[in-house]
Amino acid sequence: MEAQDKLNNQEDDFRKFFDQERQKLIQSYHKKLHNQLQTQTELINKHLKEEVIAQGVKLQRQWIQDIKVRVEQERGRRLGKLEELASHLKRLERVALNNSSYLDENLHVHALWSAVHALSSSALVSQACKPFREELRILRHITSAHEDPVVMAALESLESSDVLDVGVEPFADLASWFSSDVAPKVVHVALVPDQNAGLVASNDVLSVVARAEYYLNEKDLDSAACKLNQLGGAAKLLLHDWLEAARRRLEVEQALEVVQAQATLASLLVV
């Protein structure tokens, strides 16, 4: 019995020892497994963190690149608008310059016509001889800006004459002077008997005077003066003062006709 009890005790002790060792192994395995799991978790977490960081860096780079592209696109769009605005501004500047030039030309033409009308009114339309130096000075000042050689020559011919300070005879006075005073004297002289040849009626003189009167009735002073200027002798002497007065008026008329022609041309060019 003792031997049996001893064996039983040994078996119990062995079972206890085995259980203890088994528990130790289990605990050791659990600890090792826990350590391995913790290590794996840390590795996984580290890897995930690195992946997240890498993905974040990648997304950030992509976002920055997208921002750069959008910025470049926006800058290009804005630059395009700026270029378009600059182009519009240049066109507006050209239009403004053209309008300014057009207005300047219009003002010049208007001033030119006003000066021409003022000179014509003072020198030719007036009912009496009237000096017109001031009117010519204004016209000369206006035309000097464009330096038209034809106009300058016409005005210089007037400036060199004394007609500026005395004026010209009105056409009505010239016609009346000729009809009532000069023509009768010329006709009379044409019919005066020559001391050597007797009574000589010059049909040429009479016809010239008649034609001159016709032209004056038609208000054609130039043709009348040209006809009378063909006469000679005593008739020419009697006509001298009248022809001088007619010449002074014709000089002013012809100079103004030249300026008016250039003013008309300037008006057409502006339109």
Side-chain angles (χ1 to χ4, degrees):
M1 287 292 292
E2 290 182 0
Q4 185 65 35
D5 292 336
K6 188 177 182 178
L7 286 174
N8 290 333
N9 291 331
Q10 287 181 349
E11 182 178 353
D12 291 335
D13 292 337
F14 180 76
R15 186 179 294 109
K16 290 179 181 179
F17 176 78
F18 177 78
D19 289 337
Q20 291 176 354
E21 289 299 321
R22 186 170 62 83
Q23 289 295 329
K24 289 180 180 180
L25 286 175
I26 291 172
Q27 290 176 357
S28 175
Y29 176 77
H30 284 167
K31 184 178 182 180
K32 184 177 180 181
L33 180 62
H34 174 74
N35 291 334
Q36 288 181 349
L37 287 174
Q38 186 175 3
T39 301
Q40 290 295 325
T41 301
E42 291 176 354
L43 290 175
I44 291 172
N45 289 335
K46 182 179 180 181
H47 178 72
L48 288 175
K49 185 177 180 180
E50 290 176 351
E51 285 291 329
V52 169
I53 292 174
Q55 188 69 23
V57 171
K58 182 179 179 180
L59 290 174
Q60 186 178 23
R61 289 176 179 175
Q62 184 176 355
W63 180 76
I64 293 174
Q65 184 64 29
D66 291 342
I67 293 296
K68 288 182 178 180
V69 171
R70 291 182 181 180
V71 168
E72 290 297 324
Q73 290 175 346
E74 183 65 19
R75 185 172 67 175
R77 187 177 65 84
R78 291 180 180 270
L79 287 176
K81 286 187 176 181
L82 288 176
E83 291 176 356
E84 184 178 357
L85 289 174
S87 177
H88 286 317
L89 182 59
K90 288 181 179 179
R91 286 199 293 271
L92 288 175
E93 289 176 350
R94 286 196 296 270
V95 170
L97 290 174
N98 291 337
N99 286 339
S100 176
S101 176
Y102 177 78
L103 290 175
D104 289 343
E105 286 298 321
N106 264 322
L107 290 174
H108 171 74
V109 170
H110 177 74
L112 179 59
W113 275 113
S114 297
V116 169
H117 289 320
L119 178 56
S120 177
S121 177
S122 180
L124 301 178
V125 181
S126 176
Q127 299 300 314
C129 290
K130 183 179 178 182
F132 53 91
R133 179 176 293 276
E134 179 62 17
E135 288 80 0
L136 182 63
R137 184 192 67 79
I138 294 174
L139 179 59
R140 180 65 183 271
H141 174 72
I142 293 173
T143 56
S144 63
H146 285 65
E147 297 183 352
D148 189 318
V150 178
V151 173
M152 301 303 285
L155 297 181
E156 286 173 1
S157 68
L158 293 181
E159 289 179 329
S160 61
S161 172
D162 60 352
V163 71
L164 296 177
D165 298 313
V166 297
V168 297
E169 292 287 339
F171 179 83
D173 290 355
L174 284 172
S176 176
W177 180 13
F178 180 79
S179 298
S180 61
D181 186 26
V182 178
K185 291 180 179 179
V186 172
V187 171
H188 177 72
V189 168
L191 297 174
V192 170
D194 190 279
Q195 293 179 357
N196 297 321
L199 184 63
V200 178
S202 175
N203 291 327
D204 288 340
V205 173
L206 296 178
S207 65
V208 168
V209 170
R211 289 185 180 182
E213 288 181 328
Y214 168 77
Y215 286 129
L216 289 175
N217 288 331
E218 296 295 321
K219 300 186 182 301
D220 187 354
L221 181 61
D222 187 24
S223 296
C226 287
K227 281 295 178 183
L228 294 172
N229 205 38
Q230 296 172 5
L231 298 178
K236 188 65 172 284
L237 292 175
L238 291 170
L239 286 165
H240 178 268
D241 291 343
W242 188 91
L243 285 174
E244 280 298 307
R247 179 187 60 79
R248 287 194 294 270
R249 182 177 179 86
L250 287 171
E251 284 180 353
V252 177
E253 287 182 351
Q254 290 167 0
L256 279 175
E257 285 176 359
V258 170
V259 179
Q260 287 173 347
Q262 295 302 109
T264 300
L265 178 60
S267 300
L268 293 174
L269 291 176
V270 170
V271 174

